[in-house]
Amino acid sequence: MSIDGRKRIIPVPKFSDPVITRSPLGIISIAEIMSAAFFIIFLTWTYYSRISNDFKRMIPNKSLHLNVWQYKLMRLGIRLGSLSEACLALLLLPILRGMSLFQLLGLQFEASVRYHIWLGNAMMLFSTLHGMITMFIWAVKKRLGYQRG
């Protein structure tokens, strides 16, 4: 209570309050920064844990006839494909105006569209790298024409 008998209101910062106002991405809030950081940490952790497990148990399949560096590169490409799948899982969440999940998180429709676009770009980057690495290994082994889907 204050001196005049009224309750004192302590300002509590909201997660939806803008933190960065002048950026190429527009106005960014604390919740948006935290969400992006957690997603990047999740992707990094997923990639690192799976790659480290692959390299620990590195037993190249004899039918593939790959050298050690080719096998490692092939595993890196496969794991980039799994990162692409992680982005795709979030990308398929519907972006609807007034969606209750976004209202609970304090995100506006414009911000959710921005995230949808960035997730699509990340998915395309990981998919392209996955395809390029896989085709590179096939080309090195001179099996590019024999691979069937």
Side-chain angles (χ1 to χ4, degrees):
M1 293 258 249
S2 64
I3 297 172
D4 59 355
R6 288 192 258 164
K7 283 187 175 182
R8 179 186 274 172
I9 299 174
I10 300 171
V12 178
K14 294 183 196 174
F15 287 120
S16 60
D17 288 344
V19 175
I20 301 172
T21 56
R22 295 182 188 178
S23 76
L25 299 176
I27 298 173
I28 301 174
S29 69
I30 296 172
E32 293 170 344
I33 292 172
M34 288 175 51
S35 299
F38 286 141
F39 185 68
I40 290 170
I41 289 169
F42 166 71
L43 288 180
T44 306
W45 174 78
T46 301
Y47 191 73
Y48 174 75
S49 66
R50 297 203 180 195
I51 284 296
S52 63
N53 285 339
D54 285 347
F55 287 172
K56 285 177 190 172
R57 314 173 286 169
M58 192 173 62
I59 303 170
N61 190 347
K62 297 295 181 191
S63 66
L64 293 176
H65 305 292
L66 297 175
N67 298 335
V68 174
W69 72 269
Q70 292 169 342
Y71 182 74
K72 284 184 178 182
L73 193 61
M74 186 71 164
R75 296 307 298 178
L76 289 172
I78 289 170
R79 294 306 175 192
L80 282 170
S82 66
L83 287 181
S84 175
E85 288 177 352
C87 289
L88 182 64
L90 291 175
L91 187 64
L92 292 177
L93 286 174
I95 303 292
L96 302 173
R97 204 176 281 274
M99 188 172 168
S100 60
L101 175 65
F102 294 138
Q103 289 176 352
L104 287 175
L105 296 175
L107 295 175
Q108 296 178 353
F109 176 71
E110 292 79 15
S112 62
V113 170
R114 182 175 54 213
Y115 298 135
H116 185 77
I117 291 169
W118 279 101
L119 276 173
N121 289 334
M123 188 203 70
M124 291 302 296
L125 173 71
F126 293 140
S127 297
T128 302
L129 290 173
H130 162 74
M132 287 172 57
I133 289 173
T134 304
M135 288 189 171
F136 174 74
I137 294 298
W138 289 349
V140 166
K141 294 308 287 181
K142 296 182 176 42
R143 297 183 54 89
L144 191 57
Y146 300 112
Q147 297 298 327
R148 300 195 197 285

